[in-house]
Amino acid sequence: MTVKTWLQQKTPREQLLLIAGLGVVLMVLVWQLLWQPMLQAKTLSAQRVTNAERSLLAVRSLAQQLATARAASATGVNGGGNLAQTLDDSASALGLRIASLEPTADNSSVSVRLNDVSMTTVLAWLYDIENSGSLSIDALTLAPVATPGNVNASLRLRGN
């Protein structure tokens, strides 16, 4: 017995109900197997786009920070190769002469010695260093000398 003959054996009302029921079952199957997965894929795709946009913004921000850091390093601000020259220039601007300057092996800090210099000038120089934001003072030793108002200064500066 085939489906067609089985259906023909039913009354017209039963046939209509069976065809309508079959239509409903087909619509549910289409919904479950096609439409709903497409909606889920669309939602998932929108989430991925949002996450990618966030990642892109984060990468752009980090790239900007990297560019700023590289520019600062190139000008000798963050303890790069020009640190000695930067310190010497800033000291010379105030009339100070650096007696010795010794960077550490990892170039993260530098030891500086100033001999027989004015205390007020040293303090002004240290103030400028701290306010620049590129260096901080780790250690400072001041020793008086025979000249009134002058000192010998030893300090260790660390790049920020």
Side-chain angles (χ1 to χ4, degrees), residues 33 46 50 76 98 127 130 144:
L33 297 176
T50 301
I98 296 177
Y127 176 80
E130 281 287 329

Side-chain angles (χ1 to χ4, degrees), residues 45-59:
S45 179
Q47 289 174 348
R48 286 181 180 162
V49 167
T50 301
N51 290 341
E53 288 172 346
R54 285 187 195 139
S55 295
L56 178 62
L57 288 175
V59 167

Side-chain angles (χ1 to χ4, degrees), residues 10-152:
K10 305 294 178 191
T11 65
R13 182 178 171 149
E14 289 175 339
Q15 290 175 2
L16 184 61
L17 284 173
L18 286 172
I19 291 173
L22 180 62
V24 169
V25 168
L26 285 175
M27 288 188 336
V28 168
L29 284 175
V30 166
W31 173 261
Q32 290 292 325
L33 297 176
L34 295 175
W35 195 259
Q36 192 175 23
M38 286 190 322
L39 289 176
Q40 289 174 345
K42 179 183 172 190
T43 303
L44 182 61
S45 179
Q47 289 174 348
R48 286 181 180 162
V49 167
T50 301
N51 290 341
E53 288 172 346
R54 285 187 195 139
S55 295
L56 178 62
L57 288 175
V59 167
R60 284 182 178 165
S61 173
L62 290 172
Q64 181 65 31
Q65 291 175 5
L66 178 62
T68 302
R70 283 185 177 166
S73 178
T75 60
V77 173
N78 283 334
N82 297 332
L83 178 61
Q85 185 62 41
T86 302
L87 287 173
D88 193 41
D89 290 347
S90 67
S92 296
L94 293 173
L96 295 174
R97 185 174 169 274
I98 296 177
S100 69
L101 189 138
E102 299 173 12
T104 58
D106 64 354
N107 208 23
S108 65
S109 65
V110 63
S111 295
V112 179
R113 178 146 179 86
L114 304 167
N115 293 328
D116 199 16
V117 292
S118 167
M119 177 72 165
T120 55
T121 308
V122 170
L123 291 177
W125 183 58
L126 295 176
Y127 176 80
D128 290 343
I129 288 172
E130 281 287 329
N131 277 343
S132 72
S134 61
L135 295 170
S136 60
I137 301 167
D138 273 353
L140 172 64
T141 304
L142 298 172
V145 293
T147 309
N150 282 8
V151 293
N152 287 335

